[in-house]
Amino acid sequence: MATDLSQAVIFAGGKGERLRPITDTIPKPMVTFHGKPFLEYIINQLKHQGIEEIVLLVGYLADVIEEYFGTGKSQGVKIKYSYSPVESETGDRLKNAKDLLASEFMLLYCDNYCPINLPSMIAAFRRSQCTSLITVYNNNDMFTRNNVKVNPTGYVETYDPTRTLPKLNGVEIGYSITKRVIIDQIPDTNTRFEHYIYPLLCREGNLFAYRTNHRYYSIGSSDRLAATEAFLKPQKAVILDRDGVLNKKPPQAQYIKCWDEFEWLPGSLDALRIFKQAGYKIIVVTNQPGIARGLMNESDLTNIHTKMINEANEQSSTIDHIYYCPHGWDEGCLCRKPQPGMLFSAQK
């Protein structure tokens, strides 16, 4: 995937205090999941998005990182290293690496992973004409406390590292794009880049948000490791619609309101069994606006889905999970297909 931005810079020098005792012997980005260090997942993701060169800003146990990744040949990218003292903050690390940096580059943390679409991010960055763009998780599920306020036009009005100001509406998660000229504004004092520069850019109207509903996964603290391990676990899944795919679709503007009206399509149970035998997780996503229209209730739908799962089990198959949207066509929800809300739920 070719893009006009080919370099990524990753902060990878901190001590990872919140991961102790794990980080007593290895640096945080080398925490392993399913046989690979977390940093390798990030590097592979960047490579597949068109990034050709990665600059690692290292400090704590830097030799462990360099010994594993080397020049990046085995990962299919070119890797360079910028070394700073362990006590250096992100601002100092970035200033120290200035001579290695392209005029524009991605900037990431070594402890966050989020599915991204880099060409889309670049397009948003170009349209904004800002010095920097940050990726902002919309945090509709209140996964963590918000730390930014984004206005309706997409510009970031507030960056609050304390996460205490009112009307914050998103979480900055890294995966930023920035111009190298911003480094000249970093003070010579040992300071955190994001804490100093992002508020400055907000005041200038020069920081844009690329918003996403994709949950991000982190190794920033021990309590997040289990969810990250589950997300990174190699697994196969198939996501199916319900009506017209598994069962006979009712006429337009009519709904299956009870189990007696449900009729499996020929071969659908066989297909579910084949998926199961092949090791796939089976997920169903379905729009059910009959609930919003008052023609049925959620208890009716739960009964239908329970019987669906039971019959699939009786046929040596399974349905692992069913997500549904109960809203009407014009309610503007994020879950009704073709909106991606139910897919994001399945992803988590």
Side-chain angles (χ1 to χ4, degrees):
M1 181 188 299
T3 69
D4 63 349
L5 189 149
S6 61
Q7 187 187 69
V9 179
I10 303 177
F11 292 119
K15 295 182 70 173
E17 298 281 5
R18 290 184 296 166
L19 281 183
R20 296 187 66 186
I22 298 173
T23 49
D24 287 343
T25 55
I26 61 170
K28 179 167 57 174
M30 298 303 290
V31 173
T32 299
F33 297 92
H34 312 293
K36 293 194 298 186
F38 187 72
L39 182 57
E40 188 167 0
Y41 288 96
I42 296 175
I43 290 173
N44 286 340
Q45 178 194 36
L46 296 174
K47 178 188 69 174
H48 290 304
Q49 291 283 334
I51 295 297
E52 299 172 355
E53 181 178 272
I54 294 171
V55 179
L56 296 178
L57 309 185
V58 294
Y60 178 65
L61 297 179
D63 57 316
V64 177
I65 299 174
E66 186 170 7
E67 182 178 355
Y68 184 91
F69 289 103
T71 62
K73 184 177 181 180
S74 61
Q75 281 74 40
V77 294
K78 183 177 182 179
I79 296 179
K80 298 179 180 179
Y81 299 86
S82 175
Y83 303 89
S84 300
V86 172
E87 61 272 13
S88 292
E89 293 284 2
T90 50
D92 269 16
R93 295 193 193 283
L94 205 52
K95 286 173 67 73
N96 188 55
K98 182 177 179 180
D99 291 343
L100 298 177
L101 306 182
S103 60
E104 297 175 343
F105 53 90
M106 286 191 72
L107 184 62
L108 300 87
Y109 310 125
C110 70
D111 55 3
N112 281 353
Y113 183 102
C114 181
I116 60 166
N117 182 326
L118 182 54
S120 178
M121 288 177 60
I122 294 172
F125 178 61
R126 300 276 179 256
R127 289 194 303 269
S128 74
Q129 298 185 332
C130 286
T131 299
S132 295
L133 170 146
I134 58 174
T135 298
V136 173
Y137 177 55
N138 285 327
N139 202 26
N140 295 320
D141 58 355
M142 297 307 294
F143 173 60
T144 187
R145 289 187 297 162
N146 292 328
N147 64 357
V148 297
K149 179 184 177 183
V150 183
N151 70 24
T153 61
Y155 291 88
V156 184
E157 292 184 353
T158 304
Y159 176 86
D160 175 23
T162 70
R163 302 174 185 256
T164 59
L165 294 177
K167 298 183 179 180
L168 301 174
N169 59 4
V171 183
E172 184 266 324
I173 61 172
Y175 287 90
S176 62
I177 300 175
T178 192
K179 297 180 180 180
R180 186 178 60 198
V181 294
I182 196 65
I183 296 175
D184 295 332
Q185 295 182 261
I186 302 173
D188 291 332
T189 55
N190 190 20
T191 186
R192 293 186 67 172
F193 168 80
E194 60 274 28
H195 288 191
Y196 182 85
I197 291 296
Y198 289 161
L200 175 65
L201 294 178
C202 288
R203 292 192 294 271
E204 296 175 350
N206 209 6
L207 184 63
F208 198 75
Y210 180 80
R211 308 203 71 163
T212 180
N213 283 312
H214 275 294
R215 168 73 67 84
Y216 69 99
Y217 293 85
S218 173
I219 59 168
S221 58
S222 298
D223 60 316
R224 295 189 172 185
L225 296 182
T228 300
E229 181 175 26
F231 175 76
L232 294 174
K233 181 180 179 180
Q235 61 181 338
K236 299 184 292 185
V238 58
I239 300 177
L240 304 171
D241 199 355
R242 196 194 79 174
D243 300 335
V245 175
L246 294 177
N247 58 278
K248 186 176 179 180
K249 189 173 184 177
Q252 188 173 0
Q254 296 186 34
Y255 307 96
I256 296 170
K257 302 180 292 297
C258 64
W259 181 245
D260 289 342
E261 297 174 353
F262 185 93
E263 181 181 349
W264 290 101
L265 284 172
S268 58
L269 284 169
D270 293 333
L272 292 179
R273 184 171 60 253
I274 291 169
F275 278 128
K276 179 183 178 182
Q277 292 171 348
Y280 282 83
K281 179 173 287 189
I282 300 168
I283 299 169
V284 173
V285 296
T286 176
N287 292 338
Q288 294 296 323
I291 295 173
R293 299 186 66 188
L295 300 177
M296 56 192 293
N297 57 44
E298 295 197 49
S299 178
D300 297 326
L301 187 64
T302 298
N303 182 60
I304 293 169
H305 288 166
T306 298
K307 292 184 183 298
M308 278 178 60
I309 292 170
N310 289 342
E311 286 208 356
N313 291 339
E314 290 170 4
Q315 299 296 317
S316 301
S317 184
T318 190
I319 296 173
D320 292 284
H321 203 87
I322 301 175
Y323 296 94
Y324 64 90
C325 169
H327 304 111
W329 305 299
D330 57 356
E331 290 188 49
C333 68
L334 294 175
C335 52
R336 178 176 171 81
K337 296 186 278 99
Q339 293 297 320
M342 288 187 285
L343 301 182
F344 289 134
S345 295
Q347 176 202 44
K348 297 169 190 174

